[in-house]
Amino acid sequence: MVTKETVRDPADADVTRADSLAREIFAGVANKWTLLVINVLEQRTLRFTELRTEVDGISHKMLTQTLRHLERDGLVDRTVYAVVPPRVEYQLTEAGQALRSTVNRMCAWTRAYLDHIEAARLRFDSMS
């Protein structure tokens, strides 16, 4: 069997280029629902309804779209059990776990600078 080797254009890795694969991936993971789902999954395997409960404010439709996106990009594994009613569980892949450490640092940064940002907003809004 002969396989064709893929030659990737170096521009695909440039997040500053609008047409790059890296920009597409970056945009997909840099959205609030994706970050929150990854944060909630952490080291646990969760069912859809558990995820929806944990991610306050996410709609059924948005959670479905987010999980499909994460599964497509190989960040989440979806396991379906052949029972009635069907049981579906989600867990982070190795790549998802690696991203989780970045998400955790972003959450820590948010907590550390929450007061600073709130004060800056109040100053800015009072000048408007």
Side-chain angles (χ1 to χ4, degrees):
M1 179 174 166
V2 177
T3 59
K4 184 178 177 184
E5 197 172 308
T6 303
V7 178
R8 179 155 314 280
D9 182 347
D12 281 343
D14 185 353
V15 294
T16 62
R17 287 182 51 126
D19 63 343
S20 73
L21 178 59
R23 168 84 67 95
E24 181 185 327
I25 294 167
F26 186 77
V29 297
N31 103 19
K32 72 177 177 182
W33 298 123
T34 297
L35 295 173
L36 292 171
V37 167
I38 288 171
N39 186 55
V40 166
L41 279 173
E42 294 191 39
Q43 302 280 348
R44 300 178 292 164
T45 298
L46 295 174
R47 295 176 71 176
F48 185 92
T49 53
E50 294 171 318
L51 274 166
R52 187 153 180 226
T53 300
E54 292 286 325
V55 182
D56 191 30
I58 194 168
S59 69
H60 185 280
K61 178 182 177 181
M62 188 53 64
L63 181 55
T64 299
Q65 289 175 355
T66 301
L67 288 168
R68 284 183 182 157
H69 165 78
L70 289 169
E71 186 180 5
R72 180 176 184 249
D73 283 352
L75 301 175
V76 165
D77 278 333
R78 177 178 183 261
T79 306
V80 180
Y81 297 91
V83 295
V84 177
R87 190 174 98 218
V88 181
E89 294 179 339
Y90 299 89
Q91 68 182 25
L92 294 176
T93 63
E94 182 181 337
Q97 288 289 349
L99 181 58
R100 185 183 62 83
S101 65
T102 300
V103 171
N104 286 348
R105 286 191 304 275
M106 289 176 66
C107 291
W109 175 87
T110 302
R111 286 188 295 275
Y113 287 95
L114 191 69
D115 291 338
H116 169 83
I117 292 169
E118 184 178 34
R121 287 179 174 185
L122 288 170
R123 279 191 311 275
F124 183 89
D125 291 348
S126 70
M127 295 186 311
S128 303

